[in-house]
Amino acid sequence: TAGNKIFHFGACRVSMSMTEIRTGFTAIKANIQARDPIRTLSILSYPHSLHKVKSSDRCCITHHLFDFYVDKVFKHCKTEDSFVNRKVSSIANSFLSMKRKLGQCHEQNQCMCGQESAEKFQQILANYEGLNVTSAAMKSLGELDILLDWME
Amino acid sequence: SGELYCSLLNPRNVHFESVNMKNVLHWSAPEGTGNGVLYKVKYSVYGVGKWIRKPECRNINSTWCDLSSETSDYEEQYYASVKAFLNGMFSDWVETTRFNPLTDTKIDPPMVSVSSTDKSISITLTAPEKWKKSPEEESISLLQVYPGLQYNVSVLNKKTKKRWFFSISNHTLVVPWLEPGTAYCVSAQIHVSAPLLDSDFSKDHCIATLKDK
C-alpha cells in the first residue's frame, strides 16, 4: 500500500506502511496528549530512551512493543470523541498487521531477544503498571510518536 | 462588597515556533493588558520530573523566548510554560502542548545553485543545517537528522511554459536535452516521508542555456 517501507531488523525484513499510522496519530496527537497530565513519567522513554537499545535487540523490542500496544493499549483508549476513536482503531488495525508480520520473523528465529531488550521491555511494563489502566493506556498512546521516531 | 481582584489574566496561545530546529517559545499578552507586563519562562523534558527556569527569560517584557539550546536533543520531547506579572499581580503558569522537535519543526527550502551548457542544466541542492548554538559548533545537516530526506525539483521552460518535476535523493541533478539559448527556472522543495515534513518550494533560480555553437 502507499507509504510501504521495508524495515530491516537484522535478518528480519518487514514491509510496513508507517504513513497511515503517522497521519492518523498526527490528527489526534494534541487531543490524546492533552488527556495525559503526568509530565514526570514516560512509559517508553523512562529511565532510558528507546534510542539507547542496541541494534541487535531492535527486532525483539519492536515485536514486544507491537504486542504491548495491541494487547494492552488500544483497547483501553476509548474516548467520547468518535473521530478520535476511529483514528485509534485504524492505527490499531495497522499495528495488528505489523504484529503478525513481525511474529513470522519471531517464529523463524530471526528476531532474537537478548537480555537488554528483555530488561527494557520489563521497564516499559513496570512503567505501564505503575499507573491505572486508562491513564497508562492513554499515556502510551500519546507516546506513539516516540516509537515511530525510533523505528524510522 | 467587591472582591479584591489579585490575579492577572493568563498569557494566551503559548506555543513553540520551530524552523530547522530553532525552537522559540511564543505567546500573546493577557487580554486587555497594555505595556508593562513582565513574564518568566520554564521548561521541562517530558518524562523527567522537574521544571527548569530559563534565567535569560526572567522578568522579560517580550512575548517570546528562545529555547533552542534547551530543546536541542531531538530524541526528547518537551513542555514549556509562561507566567505573567504586573504590579504585584500574577497569572497562572500556562503550558504548551507536548513539543516534539523532530516532528514539530518546519524545514526551510534547500539552497539551489544552477549552471548550464548549451543543452543541459546542472542543479546542486543543499539541505539547511540544524540550528546550532554558535558558529563554532559543528554543523549538522538536516540530511543527517532525516536520513530519508528527498528533494522535489521543478524545472520550467520560460519560453514554452513547459514544466518538469523530479524527485531525487542525492543532491545533484543534470537535466539534459534542453533547447540552446533558452531560459529555464529551477525551484526545489525538501520532502521528508518519515515523519511527514515538506518545506516550501525555494524561490526560482533562472538561467539560460548557452547558444548553439
Side-chain angles (χ1 to χ4, degrees), chain A residues 5 19 22-23 29-30 33 36 38-43 45-46 49 51-52 139 142-143 145-146 149 152, chain B residues 44-51 74-77 79 95-98 100 102-104 147 193-196:
Chain A
K5 195 172 157 179
T19 307
R22 275 274 183 193
T23 311
K29 167 179 159 174
Q33 291 181 347
D36 171 18
I38 304 168
R39 306 282 192 270
T40 55
L41 173 64
S42 162
I43 303 285
S45 302
Y46 183 85
S49 156
H51 294 275
K52 303 288 188 285
K139 179 177 266 300
E143 294 185 6
D145 52 350
I146 293 176
D149 291 349
E152 289 176 315
Chain B
S44 75
V45 178
Y46 172 65
V48 176
K50 55 188 179 353
W51 284 98
Y74 53 82
E75 287 178 358
E76 298 287 358
Q77 300 191 14
Y79 285 91
E95 280 177 16
T96 63
T97 55
R98 194 178 305 171
N100 180 347
L102 199 64
T103 57
D104 299 343
S193 56
L196 202 53

